[in-house]
Amino acid sequence: MIVTGGNTGIGKETAQLPNDAKAQELLEKNAEVYMGSRSKERAEAAISELKEETGKEAIFLQLDLANLDAVRRDADEFKSGLGLPPIDQLTTDRYDVQFGTNVLGHAHFTLCLIPELLEGAKASPDGKARVIHTSSSGAYMVGSDGIQYNTLRGAPARRKLGSQALYFQSKYGS
């Protein structure tokens, strides 16, 4: 949820939903609330106030609606952190960046920790060690073909599949 003008007035009180739910109510329901504001200082004060009221913290989003160039920059910056990077973005190992980050990176990290996990299991009361990976509901949106392995490195196949489907298959893989 993005609340614009989030540090004062209606923006501080209301997230733009059909039922006019307040940002406070959204935070209390564990929604991820981004508070878009031109002034970082004033937004952080409002975020702090909401945290005192709810125990939950909104996220500051730089957003200068009075400058159209800044709006584009702020939107691009926000989108770059949401799991839909440019279609041609690759990992340093030349894999699709979403699959590389959400699947290969986590799997490799876990494999690198196997000796420590096995050692830790010896000290665990039940003799087990656990690694928990979570994913988003996007995992359920992958097509019936599952992971299309030709899209992990092939640019034409990635472009044909599209960023959102690439994201879904990366979540399916994790």
Side-chain angles (χ1 to χ4, degrees):
M1 176 63 54
I2 299 174
V3 180
T4 60
N7 57 291
T8 60
I10 293 172
K12 184 177 176 186
E13 296 297 322
T14 307
Q16 296 174 359
L17 287 176
N19 64 358
D20 290 336
K22 293 182 178 177
Q24 178 178 348
E25 293 169 3
L26 293 167
L27 286 167
E28 288 170 345
K29 293 179 183 189
N30 295 319
E32 191 167 88
V33 176
Y34 290 87
M35 189 166 289
S37 178
R38 183 174 36 235
S39 167
K40 185 174 184 176
E41 183 178 305
R42 292 191 310 189
E44 287 179 343
I47 289 169
S48 178
E49 184 180 321
L50 284 168
K51 186 174 181 181
E52 285 178 30
E53 294 171 7
T54 66
K56 309 283 180 4
E57 192 166 359
I59 302 162
F60 171 68
L61 172 65
Q62 181 69 50
L63 185 59
D64 184 354
L65 296 171
N67 178 330
L68 297 181
D69 287 336
V71 168
R72 166 60 61 198
R73 180 199 65 229
D74 296 342
D76 288 345
E77 193 170 308
F78 178 76
K79 288 189 296 187
S80 72
L82 292 182
L84 296 178
I87 197 87
D88 291 322
Q89 189 171 355
L90 302 174
T91 66
T92 56
D93 297 304
R94 313 279 308 147
Y95 286 97
D96 171 71
V97 73
Q98 295 178 100
F99 195 84
T101 302
N102 295 333
V103 180
L104 299 176
H106 285 90
H108 189 65
F109 182 69
T110 301
L111 289 172
C112 290
L113 294 177
I114 293 293
E116 287 74 16
L117 291 167
L118 292 173
E119 195 60 35
K122 293 176 186 174
S124 173
D126 65 1
K128 298 178 183 177
R130 292 164 184 83
V131 175
I132 300 171
H133 292 276
T134 61
S135 188
S136 77
S137 60
Y140 298 109
M141 303 302 289
V142 73
S144 60
D145 294 337
I147 295 171
Q148 296 180 35
Y149 292 95
N150 65 327
T151 64
L152 301 184
R153 289 191 178 208
R158 275 200 321 284
R159 279 192 204 93
K160 183 177 179 186
L161 191 60
S163 290
Q164 190 168 37
L166 288 166
Y167 171 77
F168 293 154
Q169 79 175 7
S170 78
K171 290 304 179 176
Y172 179 78
S174 64

